Amino acid sequence: MDTEYNGNIQHPSASVMGKVSGDNVSVDEYGFPASDDGKSAGSHAVFVKSLKGTDKDNYKLEGSSTNYTEYSIDPKPMTITADDKEKAIDDEEDPELTASVDGNIETEIFVKDEDYELSCEDHPHPEVEDEYDIYVKVKGTSALAKNYQITTKNGTLTIVDNKPTITPDSFTITYGDDYPELTATTKNLDDGFNLVKGTDFTLDRVTGDDYGEYKISVTLIEGSPNVQHYGKNNIRLKEGLFTINQYSVPIT
């Protein structure tokens, strides 16, 4: 008999074979070897321990070493799925990692840090906007896990930047080309409080006309009503990159 773990004692049924016709005798109790609980996932052995019925005293059981039957109980499939989380870059506290467990027996509760662990090992500090895996690891010391065939599914930690942000656009030209006008992209702004180049901020790049890379920086115009609305310390200023590539000269 092959069956799936359900938390209860399970075993094949037995019957009294070769009894005298018409006798009232049947199997009463079953027994297991001393180290066998009869319910855990894995291999088991069961034997008939006693008989019942009005004619039972006319029958003798063979020893448990000869009347036992071997069988197995399969692990019960279940899944532990890490819940998706979101965090703003400037939040000091990381969100609590949680997971959902599906397929376990109702009375057997899998507990975080006791039966499984959650981690986000790739999550960098300082933080940047991105998505990172939340990993699930079943603990080898879990008393419950041995009876389950456990599938783990990662969750996602999404780092978002909710601050008003100005990011200079990056440009690439070839040496000798005309210089493009510097521009920037803004995000996370309140309605009616746009941040505009020349009115609310300026863009400047490191001076240089030769082949190479030059940083583009943002400077806020502090008297701007829009800057005052957000507060200059609450506006995130990023850097762009102005790249001048070499000019390819044909040799003839």
Side-chain angles (χ1 to χ4, degrees):
M1 180 195 80
D2 292 332
T3 190
E4 185 178 282
Y5 173 76
N6 64 11
N8 300 316
I9 293 177
Q10 302 182 80
H11 57 76
S13 298
S15 59
V16 179
M17 303 297 295
K19 64 182 179 179
V20 175
S21 177
D23 274 6
N24 179 13
V25 59
S26 60
V27 174
D28 185 15
E29 293 182 299
Y30 294 87
F32 301 91
S35 59
D36 194 335
D37 63 4
K39 61 182 180 180
S40 300
S43 298
H44 298 274
V46 62
F47 59 87
V48 176
K49 190 174 181 181
S50 64
L51 301 174
K52 63 181 178 179
T54 54
D55 297 310
K56 67 177 182 178
D57 292 336
N58 295 316
Y59 294 84
K60 179 179 71 172
L61 285 171
E62 296 178 358
S64 61
S65 61
T66 57
N67 77 22
Y68 72 85
T69 297
E70 294 182 346
Y71 67 101
S72 64
I73 295 177
D74 295 329
K76 180 175 172 57
M78 63 166 283
T79 304
I80 303 177
T81 304
D83 299 324
D84 293 335
K85 299 291 180 178
E86 183 175 288
K87 179 190 176 186
I89 284 180
D90 296 313
D91 288 348
E92 293 184 2
E93 297 291 332
D94 289 340
E96 180 184 1
L97 300 182
T98 58
S100 58
V101 179
D102 182 53
N104 59 308
I105 295 172
E106 186 175 350
T107 56
E108 297 186 348
I109 308 301
F110 279 69
V111 179
K112 175 186 170 184
D113 296 330
E114 183 176 324
D115 298 296
Y116 64 91
E117 297 175 326
L118 300 172
S119 64
C120 192
E121 301 166 359
D122 303 327
H123 175 201
H125 293 86
E127 296 172 328
V128 295
E129 282 189 291
D130 211 336
E131 294 183 344
Y132 304 94
D133 285 332
I134 301 173
Y135 300 101
V136 182
K137 181 181 179 181
V138 179
K139 299 191 72 170
T141 56
S142 169
L144 299 177
K146 65 181 181 180
N147 292 317
Y148 293 86
Q149 181 179 336
I150 301 175
T151 299
T152 60
K153 294 184 179 180
N154 294 345
T156 302
L157 172 64
T158 303
I159 305 297
V160 297
D161 190 350
N162 294 326
K163 270 191 170 185
T165 302
I166 305 173
T167 304
D169 299 320
S170 294
F171 291 94
T172 299
I173 66 169
T174 299
Y175 177 78
D177 288 349
D178 293 335
Y179 293 146
E181 179 185 357
L182 299 181
T183 58
T185 301
T186 60
K187 67 176 184 178
N188 301 328
L189 303 182
D190 298 335
D191 291 341
F193 293 93
N194 292 332
L195 295 173
V196 179
K197 175 187 172 185
T199 302
D200 306 299
F201 64 89
T202 60
L203 296 172
D204 300 283
R205 76 170 179 90
V206 174
T207 302
D209 301 316
D210 296 326
Y211 159 72
E213 294 181 340
Y214 303 88
K215 288 183 178 179
I216 305 171
S217 59
V218 183
T219 302
L220 295 174
I221 300 174
E222 296 189 20
S224 157
N226 290 336
V227 172
Q228 291 176 345
H229 167 75
Y230 296 108
K232 67 176 185 178
N233 294 328
N234 293 322
I235 300 175
R236 193 181 305 283
L237 306 179
K238 296 191 174 183
E239 292 183 338
L241 195 64
F242 191 94
T243 303
I244 300 178
N245 289 334
Q246 292 174 315
Y247 177 75
S248 296
V249 180
I251 303 298
T252 59

